Amino acid sequence: MWYAIEGHDGEDVLAQRQQARPQHLARLVALRDAGRLLLAGPCPRTDADDPGPAGYSGSIVVAEFGSLEEARAWADADPYAEAGVYVRVDVRPFRPVLP
């Protein structure tokens, strides 16, 4: 089943985000290479592709896991969560409809 994982950034965590980014991306690439990633990306704090020092308000990942518990475990082990970037992570079942 697909799951939507939404990580919510804390305040002033851009430096931690940048430091943990390579490890975060490596996990996403592994999901993609396994055919289990629908989409992933950050949410800029400003209405711009590059928010600069304003940073990000969080990230969204939609990926396939065997269960809600597996999706939560994967999210809990995310380098952004471990680095204190995320102050909250929501994991919910997701049903793709379009495109």
Side-chain angles (χ1 to χ4, degrees):
M1 178 153 191
W2 294 98
Y3 294 90
I5 300 169
E6 186 172 8
H8 302 269
D9 284 20
E11 296 295 323
D12 300 318
V13 295
L14 185 57
Q16 294 99 304
R17 177 181 266 274
Q18 290 170 331
Q19 186 169 359
R21 188 170 190 263
Q23 297 87 353
H24 172 78
L25 290 178
R27 296 177 83 232
L28 293 172
V29 167
L31 283 177
R32 180 201 65 196
D33 292 350
R36 296 173 46 206
L37 182 66
L38 185 62
L39 66 87
C43 301
R45 283 195 192 273
T46 62
D47 191 12
D49 286 338
D50 181 357
Y56 299 89
S57 63
S59 300
I60 297 172
V61 174
V62 178
E64 189 175 32
F65 294 94
S67 68
L68 180 58
E69 292 76 23
E70 184 183 328
R72 283 187 177 137
W74 186 90
D76 289 344
D78 189 285
Y80 285 169
E82 293 177 348
V85 174
Y86 294 153
V87 294
R88 188 177 96 235
V89 177
D90 299 321
V91 181
R92 299 180 300 276
F94 180 81
R95 190 173 63 104
V97 174
L98 294 172

